[in-house]
Amino acid sequence: MAHKLVIVESPAKARTIGGYLGDGYVVESSIGHIRDLPNNAADTPAKIKDKPWGRLAIDVDNGFEPYYVVPRDKKSHISKLKSLLKDADELYLATDEDREGEAIAWHLLDELKPRNIPVKRMVFHEITKSAIQEAAANPRELDMDLVEAQETRRLLDRLYGYEVSPVLWRKVMSGLSAGRVQSVATRLVVDREKERMAFKVASYWDLEGTFDAGAKHDQRLFPAKLYTVDGTRVATGASFGPDGQLKGRSEVVHLDRQRAEALVAGLADTTYDVRSVEAKPYRRSPYPPFRTTTLQQEASRKLGMSASVTMSVAQRLYENGFITYMRTDSTTLSSSAVGAARAQVSELYGAEYLPDAPRTYASKVKNAQEAHEAIRPAGESFRTPAQTGLTGDQFRLYELIWMRTVASQMKDAVGQSVSIRVGGAAASGEDVVFSASGRVITFHGFLKAYVEGTDDTATAKDDAETRLPNLTQGDAVSAASLSANGHETKPPARYTEATLIKELEDRQIGRPSTYASIIGTILNRGYVYKKGTALVPAWIAFSVTRLLGEHFERLIDYEFTASMESVLDDIARGEKDRVTELTEFYYGSDKVAGLRPLVTGLGDIDAKELATFPVGSPEDGIVLRVGKYGPYLEGPGPDGPDGAGAPVRANVPDDLPPDELTLAKAKELLANPAGEEIELGTHPESGLRVVAKNGRYGPYVTEVLPEDAPKKEKPRTGSLFKSMSLDTVTLDEAVKLLSLPRVVGAGEDGEEITAQNGRYGPYLKKGTDSRSLTSEDQIFTISLDEALKIYAQPKQRGRAAAAPPLKELGNDPVSGQPVVVKAGRFGEYVTDGEYNATLRKDDSVEAITLERAAELLAERRAKGPAKKAAKKTAKKAAAKKTPAKKTAAKKTAAKKTTKKAAAKKS
């Protein structure tokens, strides 16, 4: 029976779309790419194996023609598609609407070779019944410019990887890989670590005070910091450069401890007056709806999701019809989506939050690729998160997308920012001025629905408020307290996944659709590892970037890599030619050196020098080397640096960041090489010998089991605290470390709470719920009451400390627990430590009472946990899980298909 055959990428999409199209259509998936360049010699066609370019599978001498093969595991599936095509009277290629999807559609067309039936390109950016039916009714032709752009990218990456990677195998280490974007991303992480290693700490002091405006003010006390001394600004962290010196000729007062404390003493009897009050209107407009990179960044900040997890969860949401296509550079919304968002603003927040006219957003991304819509809830009317039936990560990510979309159509937040200068004279005659800044939001607008996260915990969020008393110039105030505080400048923060994605996008390196896989690659290859959320480069990455920087400078240049993205964009628009660009990249031109001449003209490369990095000065004679089995230190032997003694070596712990390998640390490691034991004594309880050693993950103490101990018995071990060293650790300290984890007590549910030390610092553990502690000493001192208070706080993601409550209301009449108002990811809420209830649109932090909070908590308790529904939905979701596929796009087709197919047949 004749039918219309529709081919999509994934089985999940096929099932959903098949239900929307109904009878007369057969919907099947390609299961991703159906062919590619051969991955190994076994897959390479025999007719090209003996060619000079055979290993590349690209005829670099004749127009860079690629030779594609169908992988062995896809051949049976191609046979199935061909069988379905025999009974079809139309073929719809319904792969994603972007370059990758366009290329998959072209490969399907070229491989299936349909005869005497219409072939149509079906595109959509959301999987809803109306969208799918409209796409089927309004197909277009294949866009060969998009296919050319994708193929150019694929060939560029192949040439780069297959020509440069073997150089790394020969000169650095076997098994390494180079990539057009991955190597540049690795360089970014390495360069940031180099900045941290070169950073010199500067110390400075300042004064902080609490001032009293007097009894006539409701808000009497307010904080302020020392601003000027005798009219000259006081140095802050921003006044110093990375070399630890004051920047340029900065005219600032650099306070040290002695002068700061003397100033505090000299201000003991000072009276102050208000020198100036400057008020400015505050206005903040909504954030645009999500595009791929901003979704990845916010999911990392708010939900603790990696880029790959975010895209995997978003893929499932898209395929099951909950959100629009998740790989997009666009921030625009369709008119129906704007209408849906405005309707929910009016319904959930009230007409006063709805602007008179819809908001529109223009993409700020240079060369934004084949614009789709922004990422938003699917459909012409939006389901609230509670209406979706979703659970777990899918629920959390949908909620994030839904709130951001709704907030984008709300009114601005408005208020007032105030800056107050308070001055007085010290006993020394110096004139000092303190500065206080405040902000009051009078109308929260979109902030009622959504507040964007920050990468810097010191940066205040957009909804943060600081109230100051209503002072006027000339008013007298007094100092309730003054203190001198010391500070140190901090090196630039390491990249996290979120900040690396932002940096790549800001530099126009790579594409949003590739960022998750790029980060995954540099992590999986061992170039980078995670310490908490920070991305730390391994020493092997230093060797690789050194080789590439010295011998392939252009290929690892930030601007060159960004310019290649512009070239691909030009090809996608039909403005540049694939062969011309590949020829210049590979063979070079009068202006630039090509890849091939660089590889063939390398000359001698000193592999040992590439893998050697000095620690300290040349006189110290200590170097780090990157060896086959990892990094190790090499230094002069006991007879000194003159070479008389045999050099000594010591392994470097795997998790020791490069910027922490100081000269002192290197000497400590060389004095106690891995495996060498330092005898501490006998354990008073077990009677076993206790020794200190250096290991792969740093210094630790352990018990030495007798030779006749059972093989299954393992000795107790404990990592040294950061405040300890192998040279100074004592038996008493070792016994304490070996006693960990320490049982603090049991929670109200009877579950045991323990305090312990981990790779990322001290923490509490209760079942699967871990909470960070602020210092290692707390492991031995924290009480059960203190631990329970920590667990009563909502869990924080990342390294941010739990924020203090906004308001304390009293004890709940039902649970008897203290009720407080807190700021959450999506607005204020009340909690008694067990249940959380979001404030409604008519509630405010200032006006809410204990009675109203108890009412909200009672409503929340009445709903109860939805555990059964969660299990059912989770099971269903798991059944639909499919591998995530590539990106999407648009354009009209050319008639090159037949000619191109003939040229590329393998």
Side-chain angles (χ1 to χ4, degrees), residues 250-277:
S250 300
E251 292 297 326
V252 294
V253 178
H254 183 189
L255 297 181
D256 57 15
R257 179 171 186 166
Q258 183 178 358
R259 188 172 178 192
E261 291 179 344
L263 203 52
V264 170
L267 292 169
D269 301 318
T270 298
T271 57
Y272 301 86
D273 63 281
V274 176
R275 299 281 178 89
S276 67
V277 177

Side-chain angles (χ1 to χ4, degrees), residues 235-485:
T236 65
S239 305
F240 298 89
D243 59 355
Q245 303 299 311
L246 289 169
K247 291 179 182 176
R249 297 180 179 178
S250 300
E251 292 297 326
V252 294
V253 178
H254 183 189
L255 297 181
D256 57 15
R257 179 171 186 166
Q258 183 178 358
R259 188 172 178 192
E261 291 179 344
L263 203 52
V264 170
L267 292 169
D269 301 318
T270 298
T271 57
Y272 301 86
D273 63 281
V274 176
R275 299 281 178 89
S276 67
V277 177
E278 185 180 359
K280 293 180 180 178
Y282 167 80
R283 179 175 291 273
R284 182 71 171 85
S285 296
Y287 322 103
F290 281 131
R291 48 192 167 83
T292 303
T293 52
T294 52
L295 176 63
Q296 290 171 341
Q297 290 166 48
E298 276 292 86
S300 174
R301 297 179 191 122
K302 288 182 176 290
L303 308 180
M305 290 184 182
S306 67
S308 59
V309 168
T310 299
M311 296 311 290
S312 176
V313 174
Q315 179 88 26
R316 295 200 296 274
L317 289 172
Y318 166 65
E319 290 179 346
N320 290 297
F322 289 104
I323 63 170
T324 52
Y325 193 60
M326 65 286 161
R327 293 185 177 93
T328 174
D329 294 329
S330 177
T331 53
T332 60
L333 293 175
S334 66
S335 57
S336 62
V338 170
R342 286 174 63 84
Q344 290 206 323
V345 172
S346 184
E347 177 188 346
L348 297 173
Y349 298 96
E352 66 271 25
Y353 284 86
L354 191 67
D356 295 336
R359 291 185 179 274
T360 57
Y361 297 91
S363 177
K364 295 182 180 178
V365 179
K366 183 182 176 184
N367 297 323
Q369 182 180 311
E370 300 88 49
H372 310 287
E373 270 195 83
I375 304 169
R376 63 164 176 86
E380 295 185 359
S381 62
F382 297 164
R383 286 169 282 189
T384 64
Q387 291 170 337
T388 61
L390 294 167
T391 59
D393 286 347
Q394 290 190 51
F395 175 87
R396 295 194 300 148
L397 194 63
Y398 179 86
E399 183 180 47
L400 198 70
I401 294 166
W402 174 80
M403 287 192 156
R404 176 87 164 213
T405 307
V406 171
S408 74
Q409 291 300 317
M410 294 174 73
K411 281 186 176 178
D412 290 353
V414 295
Q416 193 175 54
S417 296
V418 180
S419 177
I420 298 175
R421 302 278 193 268
V422 174
S428 60
E430 294 169 300
D431 182 72
V432 298
V433 174
F434 287 81
S435 175
S437 298
R439 182 170 68 193
V440 177
I441 300 175
T442 55
F443 178 72
H444 279 74
F446 76 95
L447 294 175
K448 198 77 172 174
Y450 189 87
V451 181
E452 189 169 72
T454 63
D455 295 311
D456 183 358
T457 54
T459 302
K461 292 188 177 181
D462 287 330
D463 63 339
E465 294 186 82
T466 304
R467 295 181 178 273
L468 296 178
N470 187 18
L471 294 168
T472 57
Q473 189 171 338
D475 285 353
V477 297
S478 60
S481 65
L482 284 177
S483 62
N485 298 297

